[in-house]
Amino acid sequence: MNEKQLFDVANKAMENAYVPYSHYRVGAAILCNDGKIYSGVNVENASYGLTNCAERTAIFKAISEGAKRVLAIVIVNGTDIKSKPCGACRQVMGEFMDSDDVVFLANQKNDFKEYTFKEILPLAFSDKDMD
C-alpha cells in the first residue's frame, strides 16, 4: 500500500467538500480489494441530519463501482486536530472492513495516528450478531 498516495488523494478530495454551514472540511481516501483508491468528501445540507460524511461518501462510491472490501482508509480534515469518524461512519466502515484493516486519522498538516479498525470500534455490530 502506498500511504502517501492515500494521503494525497484524501487531501485533494478535501478541496471539494461542500461545507457552507460548518466550514469543517473533510476528505477521505480508501484502498479497496480491487486495488483502486476511491475518494470522498463531506457534503452538508441545511437540514444537518441529511449531511453525509467523507468516509461514507468514499465507501458508497467504491461499493457502487464494484469494490467489495475496504483495506485501508485515510481521513483528513482542515484543522489542527486529527479526524475522528462519527459513530455512523464507524458502523459503515465495519460493514466493509476487517478488524485488522488500517485507519489513518489525520489533520491538515498530515500529522496522523494509525489504528486498526478494531481499535476505533472494538464492539462493532455485524452480520454475526444477527445469527
Side-chain angles (χ1 to χ4, degrees), residues 43-58:
V43 180
E44 293 182 345
N45 187 280
S47 169
Y48 279 110
L50 298 178
T51 293
N52 201 55
C53 299
E55 304 92 296
R56 284 182 282 150
T57 300

Side-chain angles (χ1 to χ4, degrees), residues 90-91 94 117 121-126 129:
R90 292 175 200 225
Q91 185 61 46
F117 175 71
L121 188 59
L123 298 172
F125 182 84
S126 74
D129 294 306

Side-chain angles (χ1 to χ4, degrees), residues 23-72:
H23 308 289
Y24 182 77
R25 295 184 174 281
V26 181
I30 58 174
L31 173 65
C32 290
N33 65 305
D34 61 3
K36 295 179 183 175
I37 294 174
Y38 299 88
S39 64
V41 299
N42 54 327
V43 180
E44 293 182 345
N45 187 280
S47 169
Y48 279 110
L50 298 178
T51 293
N52 201 55
C53 299
E55 304 92 296
R56 284 182 282 150
T57 300
I59 291 170
F60 295 159
K61 183 192 301 186
I63 299 306
S64 72
E65 294 183 19
K68 301 294 182 214
R69 193 155 119 32
V70 175
L71 305 176

